Structures are given as structure tokens and as C-alpha cells.
Amino acid sequence: MVPTYDAADAAPLDARAIGAATHLYWSSVAQFEQGQRHVSPSAHHASGSGKTADHIRRAGISAFTAFPSVEE
């Protein structure tokens, strides 16, 4: 496997904004893992339809929608 990007260089997430959000679009598994503990239980999650979606579903998130792209 050849890594294509390094999530460690990503900017830290704003826990206060995440906690206040009613809808969240996760761009990566790493972003979801970093931010999920701050999310309100009533928030709705979204992501692309690939690895991140699979990961979110495995995490037991039921309020979730997968989209073909972030623009959708």
C-alpha cells in the first residue's frame, strides 16, 4: 500500500463548532475519528460513498447519508 496523503498535517478541528453543528460532512476517516467525540447525539452525518461511509456505518451512526461528492 502506498499512502496518498498524510492526515496528521490537517488543521485541528474546532470542537465548539462541531458540537453546535446539526449536520456534518466528513471528508475522511481521520477527520471523523478526530471529531466524532464532539458531535451532538442528534446531529446528522454525511460523507462520500467510499471508505469514510463504510467506517461511519461500522461506527454505528444511524443518522447518516452518503453522497456522490461534497458538492451534492
Side-chain angles (χ1 to χ4, degrees):
M1 179 188 296
V2 176
T4 57
Y5 65 92
D6 183 5
D9 291 339
L13 298 178
D14 182 345
R16 189 175 309 171
I18 290 172
T22 59
H23 293 75
L24 298 112
Y25 187 94
W26 302 106
S27 300
S28 69
V29 170
Q31 184 185 52
F32 172 75
E33 284 297 313
Q34 184 182 6
Q36 72 172 334
R37 68 181 176 271
H38 304 292
V39 176
S40 165
S42 62
H44 189 89
H45 300 256
S47 76
S49 58
K51 295 176 198 172
T52 305
D54 293 341
H55 187 80
I56 292 170
R57 287 183 184 113
R58 282 193 305 272
I61 304 297
S62 59
F64 172 74
T65 304
F67 291 94
S69 70
V70 69
E71 290 84 18
E72 301 297 320

